[in-house]
Amino acid sequence: MACLKEDPILRSNDIKEDSEETEPKDKVREEGGVREMVLPAGNSIHRSGSRPQLDLSGAAIQGNNFEERHPTILLPNQSDDISHLALDIGGSLIKLVYFSRHEDRSIDDKRKRSIKERLGVTNGNRRSYPILGGRLHFVKFETSKINECLDFINSKQLHRGGMDSRLWLSEAPPSDDVIIKATGGGAHKFADLFKERLGVSIDKEDEMDCLVAGANFLLKAIRHEAFTHMEGHKEFVQIDHNDLFPYLLVNIGSGVSMIKVDGDGKFQRVSGTNVGGGTYWGLGRLLTKCKSFDDLLELSQRGDNRTIDMLVGDIYGGMDYSKIGLSASTIASSFGKTISENKELEDYRPEDISLSLLRMISYNIGQISYLNALRFGLKRIFFGGFFIRGHAYTMDTISFAVQFWSNGDAQAMFLRHEGFLGALGAFMSYEKHGLDDLMVHQLVERFPMGAPYIGGRIHGPPLGDLNEKAMVQVVGLDFLVFSDISWMEKFVQKGTEITAPVPMAPSGTTGLGGFEVPSSKGDTLRSDASALNIGVLHLVPTLEVFPLLADPKMYEPNTIDLADPSELEYWFTVLSEHLPDLVDKAVASEGGTDDAKRRGDAFARAFSAHLARLMEEPAAYGKLGLANLLELREECLREFHFVDAYRSIKQRENEASLAVLPDLLMEIDSMNEETRLLTLIEGVLAANIFDWGSRACVDLYHKGTIIEIYRMSRKKMQRPWRVDDFDIFEERMLGSEDKKPRPHKRALLFVDNSGADVILGMLPLARELLRRGTEVVLVANSLPALNDVTAMELPDIVAEAAKHCDILRRAAEAGGLLVDAMVNIQDGSKDSLSSVPLMVVENGCGSPCIDLRQVSSELAAAAKEADLIILEGMGRALHTNFNARFKCDALKLAMVKNQRLAEKLIKGNIYDCVCRYEPAP
């Protein structure tokens, strides 16, 4: 962190507090540092004496609320400052955990309130204390540079509640009794310095209490926190919360503490050693002249300890000592070879010294840890502390020692947030912090990389002029001269106005990393001390586990296994090749301004850097699945303030599709029951071809209009499909000659793309279910992802569709979707008839895929009465959830637009169709 003041790019990458905010810092400053906020109901939020109280009585908005987008909120009766951070100040490093609030982006309009009332969704699951949603950030400093830590805290006003507190307190004078939590020896040593520099008092928390509290929280609340590491291979371990205790926690800081943990708040320190991280750093500094701990670790990666350590083979003439199980490469004596050599210190390579020292200390810590685990009959050993800091060789060495001495009976496990156990435990010591009962499904980890736009410089040329793009030529079709045309032909006529932009050539758009396929460093072991390895933990109390999963513990959303190196390389290539087109769309969505071009280039470089990091080590950010990878791309877009890259494309495709919907519905209504159901399913499959996330689909867009693509897609609807369970589904829906089926009570339709996909595919299917007396809930993304339709966009689409369909109109009114809409019915109103409701809920995510372990509370509430799930599209039904099992009937529909997926998943080809029906167990 020595570069904190000198280099804005490194500072922003390493320690910036919030890259997901909706506006860059400099813009916030221009607007007076004011942000939009929603205050909790009531006059005050209770806080304990150890954490000051937030008094909202007399709260008022300053200025003209109608003219100012972000008015200042004054709290005239607020007397206490609010602390949002905690520290672990060790002998070598300062670890800091701090909290920032989520901006409330929810829109509480009449439609949402109506649907929430119908679904029985309340705010009862929201806490009445401060953390209603926010982010936990993790930062470290060298203790010798404590002034940099103090500058950082002061610059962000973390000791007074963060940047937001300036909105609440406005011009109120600072309080003299601000208290922050801290643990570690430095909490005592530097208490006066904190008082002098920041005017705050240190509330000292017990170090062991904090370590255990932090470890217990991480192991319970983060799904892939623990992992094993052997011979360079990282494998994540899912911990059963009911079988967590007892375990041995080995915290390797300057020294080593070994703690037997029997439960929450139940532990005892059973052993320790003075040979720890401080030993390695101290001896290493003396012997190698390294200036930092990370430099010393970096040296070890290039070392060869055989020049210094005496091995068993050195004693036995290159032979093993097999009788007692020692190989020739086993270290007999660390640094032992130097005894018999007539060399001075300067004759040895610093790299070799560093590695020998690292192995000596790591092996001994591993051995002592196992002996203590054996002493208490413990099979599970967790290692933490900033000595490890994700360093591959360190973990391998400790793991080898535990495995060797236990004969494979015990395993060494490591924690991704290893160095922050104490700081996190100190943060949790604030009463009513909101983390006590936080569940794993309420945490989302994200990995920002916003320095190039937020605080740093842009390297490389900007994006080229978007106006120079070539456009696809559209040729009229001869049969359009007929006056009596079908709905499809009318769609073609309307669609000739829609062209697909050709992506710019990658040349001239690449920044650092460009759009090349990331290359791996091979088998080089590296330090994982990068700030990217530990993301920002987003706390979202409204996320829940989807209640219709047959077995949530066994559920795995990802169908594709990215642990396969060839699979990983393939998908990284796909994302890299798609990147220029995505940048083009993103910049165009913001008007092609110079600022948008700058951000587009920054996004391209940032996402390329993420891909390069993950190609080098796929498990760097946790267990990696395709859903995680695609979500990372969408989060990176939002980080650079591209709200909806496909906004204009979606609008054009929606207009074209809505124009022909009435003709399609008339055609469908003229069919008998059996033909109608098959036509509807065919329509969903055909319309699902419109997917800008598919390379094959993008190639099609460049050859013609969306209408030509749709016609081609309908021609391919020849049964049997590659996965064809339609007959089973038909029997459930229509019954047999002597048995009339019971209609489903409520169906959840997980919709996919905008335009033809949702309007000509899923809406007619929803209409058929409504006609049969089934309540329908359209489930859409909370945030934009590619050209997927969002829950915010769907009500307007339904309102437009309802102008031409009485079934949709009455259902939408019953479901609260038309509260604010003026609907002009063309096919005759039947207001006296009651109708089952049509509703729209958000799924809680902003990705082409969906992880049903984390869905919105609205969706969870809607699912409780549902007995049919329809998952549509590659992302939701193939890339994820193809193997998911549910408590109710499930129909999975998708057109396969990826050749590799087709070959691996269904043993078929591109454009094959999947209609998979799974009755309730």
Side-chain angles (χ1 to χ4, degrees), residues 288-307:
T288 69
K289 308 302 181 185
C290 276
K291 301 299 183 184
S292 73
F293 193 97
D294 286 329
D295 288 344
L296 190 62
L297 279 178
E298 188 69 27
L299 270 184
S300 70
Q301 295 176 188
R302 304 190 298 272
D304 182 356
N305 68 299
R306 292 172 300 179
T307 65

Side-chain angles (χ1 to χ4, degrees), residues 391-573:
H391 190 255
Y393 209 108
T394 306
M395 292 185 289
D396 272 356
T397 307
I398 291 174
S399 297
F400 178 82
V402 171
Q403 184 185 55
F404 178 85
W405 291 108
S406 69
N407 289 320
D409 289 340
Q411 263 189 327
M413 287 185 281
F414 305 92
L415 304 174
R416 292 185 53 242
H417 294 79
E418 59 198 0
F420 292 95
L421 301 184
L424 188 54
F427 184 89
M428 295 180 67
S429 67
Y430 289 111
E431 294 183 31
K432 301 300 181 186
H433 47 64
L435 299 182
D436 287 327
D437 57 347
L438 198 69
M439 303 297 290
V440 63
H441 54 266
Q442 295 171 329
L443 279 172
V444 181
E445 188 172 15
R446 293 172 181 150
F447 300 88
M449 191 191 285
Y453 177 66
I454 302 298
R457 300 184 301 274
I458 294 292
H459 298 275
L463 287 172
D465 185 358
L466 297 183
N467 296 322
E468 297 175 358
K469 293 187 304 182
M471 302 299 286
V472 173
Q473 290 293 322
V474 180
V475 180
L477 303 178
D478 292 339
F479 61 78
L480 292 182
V481 297
F482 296 103
S483 58
D484 185 16
I485 59 178
S486 69
W487 71 270
M488 185 188 294
E489 291 167 335
K490 190 173 180 181
F491 188 21
V492 173
Q493 191 175 41
K494 179 71 177 175
T496 56
E497 303 167 12
I498 301 174
T499 58
V502 177
M504 293 166 30
S507 58
T509 65
T510 57
L512 297 180
F515 300 131
E516 301 294 326
V517 179
S519 59
S520 172
K521 286 188 177 181
D523 56 359
T524 303
L525 291 175
R526 67 183 302 283
S527 169
D528 284 348
S530 164
L532 285 177
N533 286 15
I534 296 178
V536 178
L537 288 181
H538 291 239
L539 316 180
V540 191
T542 55
L543 290 179
E544 299 184 32
V545 177
F546 189 58
L548 292 178
L549 287 174
D551 187 351
K553 289 184 179 180
M554 297 300 294
Y555 170 75
E556 169 55 49
N558 293 287
T559 307
I560 304 298
D561 183 11
L562 293 187
D564 179 349
S566 64
E567 199 71 53
L568 184 68
E569 184 174 359
Y570 170 80
W571 285 102
F572 277 21
T573 301

Side-chain angles (χ1 to χ4, degrees), residues 713-730:
S713 181
R714 286 303 296 252
K715 288 178 181 178
K716 291 182 176 292
M717 293 293 102
Q718 301 297 319
R719 295 186 64 196
W721 301 315
R722 194 65 191 180
V723 178
D724 194 341
D725 295 334
F726 174 77
D727 293 339
I728 306 173
F729 177 67
E730 181 185 44

Side-chain angles (χ1 to χ4, degrees), residues 30-155:
E30 288 172 8
E31 296 181 0
V34 181
R35 296 182 188 171
E36 192 172 14
M37 299 189 64
V38 177
L39 295 179
N43 290 332
S44 65
I45 297 179
H46 173 71
R47 293 176 185 265
S48 70
S50 64
R51 189 169 190 182
Q53 180 177 351
L54 177 61
D55 189 348
L56 303 182
S57 60
I61 295 178
Q62 184 182 48
N64 189 332
N65 187 31
F66 296 99
E67 296 178 359
E68 295 184 28
R69 181 183 174 193
H70 301 298
T72 300
I73 298 174
L74 299 178
L75 300 185
N77 300 320
Q78 177 64 37
S79 58
D80 295 329
D81 288 318
I82 307 163
S83 179
H84 278 238
L85 84 156
L87 302 101
D88 178 2
I89 311 175
S92 305
L93 292 167
I94 300 172
K95 287 76 66 176
L96 185 150
V97 172
Y98 73 93
F99 172 77
S100 66
R101 294 181 183 277
H102 274 309
E103 291 187 3
D104 195 321
R105 298 184 179 91
S106 64
I107 299 177
D108 191 22
D109 58 19
K110 293 179 182 178
R111 286 187 299 213
K112 291 199 72 170
R113 288 200 301 271
S114 174
I115 290 174
K116 283 185 175 182
E117 289 171 4
R118 174 172 287 277
L119 295 176
V121 179
T122 68
N123 290 329
N125 63 333
R126 285 180 175 265
R127 296 166 174 77
S128 59
Y129 37 91
I131 296 183
L132 299 179
R135 294 171 281 267
L136 277 178
H137 309 257
F138 304 85
V139 186
K140 65 180 175 67
F141 300 87
E142 290 185 17
T143 305
S144 61
K145 299 174 182 177
I146 190 171
N147 284 324
E148 288 186 359
C149 176
L150 295 170
D151 290 341
F152 176 74
I153 294 171
N154 189 56
S155 68

